[in-house]
Amino acid sequence: RNGIYPLMNFAVSRPHALPRALSQPQEDLQKAKTPTPEPFDVETRKVVQMQCNMELNEDKSQWHLTLLLILEDKLHRQLSYDLLPTDNSKDLATELVHYGFIHEDDCEKLATFLESAFHKHRSQA
């Protein structure tokens, strides 16, 4: 009636530990199926506008990427990331699709956009 109660009221208590003698043998634990990770939500809206900003960190050892995406329904999504020397635009775009930040159809477009931004900013440095 008055909205949601504080989240601490919904916390699940920790399960009680079983005594050592009642726990499963190690062989049974290895045979048990590993839980499948829950799937991430798939983004259904497409990106209509992209902006990118790259800055060197204070110690000038690493690039910081800020990506602003505007989706079809005018939602603004701002993402930040400290780039590693091994990062490339294709992998970053694929990861954004995997975690549900962008639509799968926008992956190639974003990878191309990031690649041109990387080239532009790194050549200026």
Side-chain angles (χ1 to χ4, degrees), residues 86-98 102 104-116 118:
T86 57
D87 286 332
N88 66 56
S89 59
K90 181 69 176 163
D91 290 344
L92 290 175
T94 303
E95 193 171 326
L96 291 176
V97 170
H98 174 75
I102 63 171
E104 187 175 3
D105 294 347
D106 291 325
C107 185
E108 195 64 40
K109 180 171 63 171
L110 182 64
T112 305
F113 175 75
L114 286 174
E115 187 61 39
S116 65
F118 290 174

Side-chain angles (χ1 to χ4, degrees), residues 10-28:
F10 294 102
V12 178
S13 62
R14 289 186 173 182
H16 298 289
L18 294 175
R20 193 79 167 136
L22 297 177
S23 63
Q24 293 179 340
Q26 186 66 22
E27 295 170 356
D28 290 345

Side-chain angles (χ1 to χ4, degrees), residues 47-98:
V47 175
V48 294
Q49 187 177 353
M50 296 180 267
Q51 295 176 5
C52 176
N53 185 31
M54 288 179 62
E55 298 174 349
L56 277 172
N57 287 349
E58 293 172 2
D59 60 358
K60 306 230 185 267
S61 65
Q62 194 173 32
W63 286 96
H64 181 76
L65 170 71
T66 303
L67 185 62
L68 176 67
L69 305 173
I70 301 175
L71 304 177
E72 289 174 328
D73 62 350
K74 307 294 187 234
L75 177 101
H76 289 62
R77 180 169 282 160
Q78 183 173 337
L79 306 168
S80 300
Y81 181 69
D82 287 327
L83 289 170
L84 301 172
T86 57
D87 286 332
N88 66 56
S89 59
K90 181 69 176 163
D91 290 344
L92 290 175
T94 303
E95 193 171 326
L96 291 176
V97 170
H98 174 75

Side-chain angles (χ1 to χ4, degrees), residues 23-39:
S23 63
Q24 293 179 340
Q26 186 66 22
E27 295 170 356
D28 290 345
L29 290 175
Q30 289 175 351
K31 292 177 186 175
K33 291 175 76 176
T34 57
T36 53
E38 291 187 30

